[in-house]
Amino acid sequence: MNKLLVTGANGLLGRQVCIDCVANGFKVTAFTRSIPPDALPHVNYVPFDFNKPWQEANLPDTADVVIHLAQSPNFRRIPEAAIEVFRVNLESTARLLDYAKRKGVKHFVLASSGGVYRVGSQPLEESAPVRSPGELDYYLASKLSSEMLVNNYRAFLRTTILRFFFVYGPRQNRDMLIPRLLDNISHGRKVSLQGNDGFSFNPIHVADASKAVIASVEKTESSTINIAGPDVLSIRKICKAAGSHMGIQPVFESIPGKALSLIGDIGQMKKRLYSPTIRLLDRLYELTA
């Protein structure tokens, strides 16, 4: 189990996974849209864009594990980028699964999202109901559809679906939730809250998320596992801590609606993969632009 193909290898999570794979002695073929200027040593980079026509000849002749982390950066631009999101998030999964089956890949790991669950006030176990088709936006529909495709290959190879809850860390795009909150504070923009404290969730640091991915590689059974952090935090609590760190008083505004929660139960993660240790409120300095 030492030859790994990692897609989305220059993303926030993908780069850290490559670092940890090399540290654990794996041979890594990394698919990225282009070779990064700060390419990692001991990683074989292959320029690869799932939004463009591609042939199986571009894939390695052999691999033990496929770790499929690629996703379209334009997932919010629907319907303008709908076809791109389909190609990168869903079509790529179908074609990589076909490749894995025919080439004797032993294990397929898919990055999905905790957003496929219905929101609720209690931590969501892996058996919790997922949203109905009418409740899913295009991006989450592509993730849940990819899960369904992966589950159909469990008769042929081991499959692992990892449902990530709000991964954060250095190098993260500033349009993602937590960096966006910090930027709003630093620029004096209002932060909108439903209810008293706003949305609650348990985000996970990229280093912890990557360790969970690495731990999943050599699991011997197929599974679906939540990947989330150790602390449940509200938008208000994060912003107040960030404001204290920056020496700026956050400005909040109340908007109609009930405060929602999307909290991943991490019992299976801790039992079968890895116990996360990094706390967001201790790492705000990494996210301040």
Side-chain angles (χ1 to χ4, degrees):
M1 299 287 288
N2 69 335
K3 295 179 181 178
L4 274 60
L5 189 165
V6 180
T7 72
N10 200 38
L12 174 66
L13 179 58
R15 182 177 175 86
Q16 187 62 50
V17 166
C18 287
I19 292 171
D20 290 342
C21 282
V22 170
N24 280 273
F26 296 118
K27 298 177 182 178
V28 180
T29 298
F31 280 17
T32 60
R33 290 187 185 86
S34 60
I35 305 293
D38 54 348
L40 298 169
H42 311 298
V43 171
N44 176 33
Y45 285 95
V46 177
F48 206 100
D49 188 344
F50 287 111
N51 188 39
K52 296 179 180 178
W54 57 278
Q55 302 297 325
E56 186 179 304
N58 300 116
L59 302 175
D61 288 335
T62 60
D64 295 313
V65 184
V66 173
I67 302 178
H68 191 24
L69 307 177
Q71 68 172 27
S72 168
N74 295 313
F75 62 92
R76 291 193 184 95
R77 294 185 58 244
I78 303 299
E80 294 82 3
I83 299 304
E84 176 185 333
V85 173
F86 172 81
R87 288 173 179 156
V88 177
N89 290 11
L90 190 56
E91 179 186 331
S92 67
T93 303
R95 295 185 64 184
L96 286 172
L97 284 165
D98 178 68
Y99 157 82
K101 162 72 166 54
R102 289 186 290 102
K103 292 294 187 179
V105 171
K106 300 177 181 69
H107 192 177
F108 193 101
V109 180
L110 174 74
S112 187
S113 170
V116 301
Y117 293 112
R118 291 176 179 168
V119 295
S121 59
Q122 299 301 315
L124 297 157
E125 297 182 353
E126 289 79 0
S127 59
V130 297
R131 301 190 195 191
S132 66
E135 297 173 309
L136 291 166
D137 63 24
Y138 196 94
Y139 164 74
L140 291 174
S142 74
K143 286 298 184 182
L144 189 56
S145 297
S146 290
E147 288 191 20
M148 294 176 183
L149 295 179
V150 170
N151 283 331
N152 273 276
Y153 277 75
R154 286 189 171 184
F156 310 110
L157 65 156
R158 289 197 301 281
T159 63
T160 299
I161 296 167
L162 302 177
R163 290 174 173 166
F164 292 94
F165 286 72
F166 302 96
V167 180
Y168 68 91
R171 300 177 72 248
Q172 188 168 31
N173 291 336
R174 303 308 296 181
D175 63 348
M176 301 304 286
L177 175 59
I178 296 172
R180 193 168 71 245
L181 290 173
L182 271 60
D183 288 349
N184 284 343
I185 295 168
S186 66
H187 290 92
R189 295 191 288 262
K190 293 180 180 180
V191 176
S192 300
L193 299 178
Q194 289 183 314
N196 186 61
D197 295 323
F199 183 65
S200 294
F201 57 113
N202 53 335
I204 183 164
H205 191 277
V206 65
D208 277 343
S210 178
K211 287 182 174 64
V213 174
I214 301 305
S216 76
V217 165
E218 297 197 56
K219 298 302 291 183
T220 57
E221 71 283 348
S222 295
S223 57
T224 297
I225 302 177
N226 293 334
I227 307 297
D231 298 322
V232 176
L233 301 166
S234 67
I235 295 293
R236 180 183 290 277
K237 187 168 186 177
I238 293 170
C239 289
K240 291 189 74 171
S244 178
H245 171 74
M246 292 186 281
I248 301 172
Q249 184 67 36
V251 180
F252 297 107
E253 65 173 353
S254 295
I255 59 174
K258 179 182 178 181
L260 301 175
S261 299
L262 187 62
I263 304 163
D265 183 287
I266 58 174
Q268 289 300 312
M269 176 187 176
K270 293 193 292 185
K271 178 181 178 181
R272 303 167 72 177
L273 299 180
Y274 174 78
S275 294
T277 61
I278 300 174
R279 301 180 182 280
L280 170 62
L281 301 188
D282 294 334
R283 294 298 185 99
L284 291 171
Y285 66 90
E286 295 181 346
L287 305 171
T288 304

